[in-house]
Amino acid sequence: MTQQREKFTYLCDRMNIQLTEKKEQIFRSTLDLIHHFGFHGSPMSKIAKDADVAVGSIYHYFPSKDDLIIELYWYCKEIINNYVFKAEENNLAYDQRFRIIWKNIVRFYQDHVYIFSFMEQFYGSPFYEEVRSSVFKEKSERNKIFHFLETGIEQKQLKDLHVRLILAAYLGPAISLVRSALYEKIRLEEDQLDTLVEIIWNGVKK
């Protein structure tokens, strides 16, 4: 667990995302425990103990486990967005950004297994029902991938399909590829990523 925690701390520093020390400890512990034991196997008491925070104190930061999980979700989304969407790539042609962003997603999840595990479990849980409307309303601020693909449709770079279909075609192969690579404990090669993203682009481009 230590290596993953060090990566998470480094990532927070690198992205200049500010947390109090206690909240960072709680988030790290929550990611660790959910990765190993799932949502149901990670009660607040266990998270508090792992984070070295008094059980009563954890409720000072998060009124309930639901609040903790949902706040951690948005926090992870911010980290992912900051990694995937780099300012220096904003002026590239749309098709170039399409490929780069996709590969950034794959690299991020392969390098941050606990966040990948958390997001996988979150989307399949009742917690997601509580934030689903916000996910699609807050396109530009918190759901940048959705917004990026929607812009591609508006600019006639992508086929005139419902954006959620494009999103499924874009993210589905990335998630599946990361999942299989983690299961097989292999590192994805650059040429493999180039080949798959080219297939995706050819399938959705205008």
Side-chain angles (χ1 to χ4, degrees), residues 101-150:
I101 289 168
W102 187 87
K103 290 196 288 185
N104 286 346
I105 294 168
V106 173
R107 291 192 191 100
F108 178 88
Y109 279 139
Q110 194 166 25
D111 289 339
H112 303 92
V113 178
Y114 286 14
I115 294 179
F116 177 73
S117 176
F118 171 78
M119 298 299 277
E120 283 265 86
Q121 293 184 62
F122 185 91
Y123 284 123
S125 76
F127 293 109
Y128 184 53
E129 294 302 314
E130 296 185 38
V131 302
R132 192 209 302 266
S133 60
S134 296
V135 167
F136 291 104
K137 284 178 183 176
E138 301 181 39
K139 298 186 187 77
S140 61
E141 295 167 5
R142 286 179 162 174
N143 199 4
K144 290 189 175 182
I145 295 173
F146 189 100
H147 179 66
F148 171 72
L149 297 176
E150 192 173 56

Side-chain angles (χ1 to χ4, degrees), residues 4-30:
Q4 286 291 338
R5 289 186 175 186
E6 287 175 353
K7 280 187 179 182
F8 184 67
T9 304
Y10 166 74
L11 196 61
C12 294
D13 292 342
R14 182 176 164 215
M15 299 303 178
N16 195 30
I17 299 171
Q18 301 301 316
L19 279 184
T20 65
E21 184 178 349
K22 288 296 184 183
K23 286 187 78 170
E24 185 178 332
Q25 289 174 349
I26 292 166
F27 278 166
R28 288 197 312 245
S29 292
T30 304

